[in-house]
Amino acid sequence: MARRYDHSREELYGIALDAACQMVAEKGIRELTTRKLAKEIGYSVGTLYNLFDDQDDLIVHMNGRTLNGLANVIAAVPDGKESEQTIRAMSKAYIKFTQDNFNLWNSLFEHRLPPGRELPEWYREKIDILLAMVEKALLPICANNQSECQKAARVLWSSLHG
């Protein structure tokens, strides 16, 4: 087992998230436990709890990485000559991302926080970044009405995610 001083806190955080993402990508969210993850990375369960509040916090951080990955894919979509082209290209990129990262993507929807526990603000900001990308593409379709565009983006997002 690795010793605590072998890695900095930031390195351990990255190692744990990398391993969690790999485990979930291969086997799905139901197979992720702190015991299995600790064994995988060669540290104790207690070390994981020094990095994350609990397993829910670990999963929220892992899901945040998945949202970052989607944002990177969507941001790489070139603007088309027409908004419809851009929206189609974004949709194709989105679908490809979800297919390529099926178990990680499902984790966003399979995992539920305990009652009364809210998603952290930084996580909500990740969703807002994604929505802003959609809004930008929709703006010309919405006759440059920002309010309507925000509503349309949220309706589109909600229709995809239920």
Side-chain angles (χ1 to χ4, degrees):
M1 188 172 287
R3 298 193 192 288
R4 178 176 217 122
Y5 55 82
D6 287 347
H7 298 101
S8 70
R9 181 177 177 81
E10 293 76 26
E11 288 171 330
L12 278 172
Y13 175 84
I15 290 167
L17 280 182
D18 288 345
C21 288
Q22 186 67 36
M23 288 174 72
V24 171
E26 291 174 4
K27 298 178 182 175
I29 189 68
R30 291 188 180 119
E31 291 298 313
L32 179 66
T33 67
T34 52
R35 239 179 246 288
K36 288 179 186 176
L37 180 59
K39 183 178 179 182
E40 178 69 25
I41 66 173
Y43 278 87
S44 70
V45 173
T47 299
L48 289 176
Y49 288 123
N50 284 325
L51 299 169
F52 305 98
D53 295 339
D54 52 27
Q55 186 167 338
D56 289 313
D57 188 44
L58 166 68
I59 293 170
V60 168
H61 282 262
M62 183 190 68
N63 286 345
R65 270 199 178 180
T66 302
L67 292 174
N68 287 345
L70 177 60
N72 291 336
V73 166
I74 297 298
V77 171
D79 289 337
K81 292 180 183 177
E82 296 181 20
S83 290
E84 290 86 359
Q85 288 176 319
T86 303
I87 294 295
R88 278 192 207 100
M90 289 171 86
S91 298
K92 287 179 182 179
Y94 171 93
I95 290 167
K96 182 170 179 4
F97 180 86
T98 61
Q99 290 171 336
D100 292 348
N101 301 280
F102 183 77
N103 285 332
L104 289 169
W105 187 248
N106 278 344
S107 172
L108 292 169
F109 306 101
E110 288 182 25
H111 179 256
R112 297 279 184 252
L113 287 174
R117 189 158 168 191
E118 298 290 323
L119 287 168
E121 186 60 31
W122 61 262
Y123 189 93
R124 291 173 193 236
E125 289 170 5
K126 291 177 185 300
I127 294 171
D128 289 343
I129 288 168
L130 284 162
L131 286 169
M133 291 180 204
V134 176
E135 289 168 16
K136 179 183 172 195
L138 287 173
L139 195 55
I141 296 172
C142 297
N144 292 317
N145 182 324
Q146 188 68 36
S147 177
E148 288 301 314
C149 186
Q150 287 176 337
K151 288 178 192 173
R154 279 151 182 75
V155 167
L156 179 59
W157 185 265
S158 296
S159 68
L160 288 171
H161 305 292

